[in-house]
Amino acid sequence: MMKHILILCNGDPPSKQLFLSAFSACDYFIAADGGGNIARDFGQTPDVVIGDLDSFESRSDDTFEVVFDPDQYSNDLEKALQLALKKQGTHVQVLGATGKRLDHTLKNLSVLKQFDNQFEEIVFKDNFGDTFLIPRRFAIDLPPGTPVSLFPLSGRVNGITTSGLKYPLKNEPLENGVHDGSSNEVIESPVEITHQTDDLLIFIAKKITQSR
């Protein structure tokens, strides 16, 4: 069974260090359309390239499988995640899902919500940090000073309580356009977060800042 799946999309390319770290931990590597070009730049071969192939530059010496899926009602990340399900993946790291066109990033966040409950883990990784949806009860060990942001992906999330963050919430809502949870900071570990409704997104930045 393919447990750990790496998906490389065609957004802002990850650093080579980030890519190689994710690549070394995966059982199966899917390039979503133009992500195949990025993989080639890193000197690595995906197991498969899948998408409508409007960005991928095929070559006569390619040795991997190429799956042409022209369906315009799903984007390339959706197609890659459907394949990951078929391969019985349980943990998925997605690189290159953010950056470049904002509409593509927003669509990919919608896809994250769509597929989140079908895997044990889906995490978007980029050069700035990790982004994923958290369960109703969530705890993580993070160094003090780590920037953390919370966003109500479903528009509004009720009953949020946090501990270990500089700006705590006590059974409070976050709502887009009203009150969000951006640019918080770890002051004590573990960080614990609970919420009562809907979809709460967390972004954990790689940059460590000094606690004030």
Side-chain angles (χ1 to χ4, degrees):
M1 176 167 47
M2 301 291 183
K3 293 184 178 181
H4 293 270
I5 306 284
L6 170 61
I7 296 175
L8 179 58
C9 299
N10 196 34
D12 279 344
S15 67
K16 187 171 185 179
Q17 180 181 7
L18 175 58
F19 171 77
L20 291 177
S21 175
F23 178 77
S24 66
C26 78
D27 300 308
Y28 193 76
F29 175 24
I30 303 171
D33 207 326
N37 304 326
I38 300 172
R40 187 183 282 135
D41 290 342
F42 286 132
Q44 297 296 334
T45 301
D47 291 286
V48 61
V49 172
I50 188 170
D52 61 8
L53 306 184
D54 63 343
S55 301
F56 176 63
E57 300 170 3
S58 62
R59 295 180 181 176
S60 59
D61 59 348
D62 288 338
T63 58
F64 45 82
E65 181 182 7
V66 177
V67 177
F68 172 57
D69 185 343
D71 178 21
Q72 294 302 303
Y73 291 97
S74 61
N75 75 350
D76 294 324
L77 177 57
E78 286 176 274
K79 294 164 185 173
L81 286 168
Q82 290 287 3
L83 180 58
L85 285 173
K86 291 179 181 178
K87 294 296 181 179
Q88 298 182 300
T90 57
H91 296 72
V92 181
Q93 294 188 68
V94 183
L95 307 183
T98 59
K100 294 186 177 178
R101 284 178 51 174
L102 179 58
D103 58 337
H104 288 175
T105 298
L106 292 172
K107 170 62 176 177
N108 285 338
L109 289 174
S110 177
V111 172
L112 173 63
K113 176 181 176 179
Q114 176 186 344
F115 282 87
D116 182 66
N117 63 359
Q118 300 185 61
F119 297 93
E120 291 183 27
E121 177 188 65
I122 306 179
V123 56
F124 286 7
K125 290 179 173 286
D126 59 31
N127 297 330
F128 302 98
D130 296 350
T131 304
F132 52 96
L133 285 164
I134 60 175
R136 292 284 190 264
R137 293 185 175 275
F138 176 74
I140 188 170
D141 288 314
L142 295 169
T146 302
V148 171
S149 293
L150 299 174
F151 290 97
L153 187 59
S154 48
R156 179 185 173 97
V157 175
N158 294 313
I160 305 171
T161 298
T162 68
S163 64
L165 296 178
K166 184 175 183 179
Y167 307 106
L169 295 170
K170 297 182 180 179
N171 195 29
E172 299 174 55
L174 292 178
E175 183 174 2
N176 288 332
V178 179
H179 180 212
D180 62 46
S182 63
S183 300
N184 214 324
E185 183 181 312
V186 176
I187 58 172
E188 186 178 12
S189 199
V191 173
E192 296 181 340
I193 304 168
T194 62
H195 65 286
Q196 296 177 1
T197 66
D198 299 298
D199 305 295
L200 188 60
L201 193 75
I202 189 169
F203 171 77
I204 302 172
K206 289 182 179 178
K207 181 180 178 181
I208 307 300
T209 59
Q210 295 295 321
S211 297
R212 296 177 183 175

